[in-house]
Amino acid sequence: MRTNTTAAQLRAEADKLQARAAESRQRCGADGMLTQRAAGLSADERRLEAAIIERGGVWDFPALFGLDGNLVPARLEFKEARFGGTRKVWRLLDANGRTAGWFNPSEAMDRPARVRNNAKKGYYVGRVIAAAKAELAGNNILAIRAIPVRTDGGWNADVEIVDNGQRDERAEIIAAYQAAWTARDHRAIAAMEAEADKGGYVAELIAARKTA
């Protein structure tokens, strides 16, 4: 992350890059696709960097926990999947930071199922707040996107724990939705339904109206 740069300056840079991409589309059409894509990605990176600055230079990230709720020394990595794409794996670390083993987290679509499957292997996946920066990542021009990246190498015991993996986040969301439904807070309802639609559990929210 660049120092001495404000969020407002970064967003101004992003707007200029976005305008440059728009001009290229008007002038060159599809012939300038790579230039347009590069400008758009750089704009996305600056906007994310601005958001990180506004949060105090930190972001929330997945973290590995034991069944006792304590942090496990581990670093999240991405490896090539057998049939294309990538998959998440946790590199378990020893006291010297060397590889002590691997943990393959559950890929079940349903969160309760993921939690159960991971717990059977002795772990929970939660979230922590750690120092961050914005980077572009991806294995091809179409897959590249701006993402927050930890600046501590992926593991640090001195982080703020948000969730040790044992929170029932879905239940909390449903409870908040029921409260918004009762209060007829249409803006909050719409926002939560949009997020639920992305996460594939909007039907659960709709059903929760009956008991609100």
Side-chain angles (χ1 to χ4, degrees):
M1 183 180 294
R2 289 177 290 171
T3 57
N4 301 322
T5 306
T6 67
Q9 288 172 327
L10 288 165
R11 289 202 169 90
E13 290 179 14
D15 290 342
K16 289 179 181 178
L17 286 163
Q18 208 71 59
R20 188 183 303 167
E23 290 170 4
S24 175
R25 278 192 294 272
Q26 291 181 339
R27 187 175 63 254
C28 306
D31 291 339
M33 183 179 65
L34 290 179
T35 299
Q36 296 153 20
R37 175 69 172 155
L41 287 169
S42 294
D44 290 344
E45 183 180 21
R46 283 164 174 77
R47 290 194 183 97
L48 177 57
E49 191 174 345
I52 292 172
I53 288 173
E54 289 174 337
R55 293 184 60 172
V58 298
W59 206 258
D60 63 307
F61 295 95
L64 198 62
F65 293 82
L67 298 184
D68 58 2
N70 292 320
L71 273 169
V72 171
R75 184 167 59 240
L76 182 62
E77 299 184 1
F78 293 85
K79 292 187 174 293
E80 290 188 9
R82 181 179 300 176
F83 301 108
T86 59
R87 60 186 177 87
K88 296 178 180 179
V89 296
W90 288 93
R91 183 191 294 268
L92 306 177
L93 306 173
D94 64 16
N96 297 311
R98 292 192 289 262
T99 302
W102 298 90
F103 168 60
N104 294 301
S106 171
E107 296 182 346
M109 295 295 292
D110 182 62
R111 185 182 184 280
R114 290 199 305 275
V115 172
R116 287 195 304 272
N117 294 342
N118 290 335
K120 289 177 183 177
K121 298 179 181 180
Y123 300 102
Y124 287 118
V125 177
R127 301 194 73 79
V128 299
I129 293 176
K133 62 180 179 179
E135 282 189 358
L136 295 177
N139 54 15
N140 62 65
I141 188 63
L142 296 178
I144 293 174
R145 59 193 178 93
I147 62 169
V149 176
R150 291 179 64 159
T151 60
D152 57 12
W155 159 251
N156 187 342
D158 187 20
V159 292
E160 179 183 344
I161 296 173
V162 177
D163 169 23
N164 65 5
Q166 300 181 49
R167 271 177 57 197
D168 190 343
E169 294 179 66
R170 185 73 57 81
E172 293 176 7
I173 292 171
I174 290 174
Y177 180 82
Q178 289 176 317
W181 182 259
T182 300
R184 296 297 186 263
D185 185 343
H186 299 294
R187 180 175 295 182
I189 290 169
M192 284 188 274
E193 287 180 354
E195 285 300 312
D197 188 47
K198 293 177 186 176
Y201 59 91
V202 69
E204 290 182 51
L205 290 192
I206 303 304
R209 295 177 183 176
K210 298 176 182 178
T211 55

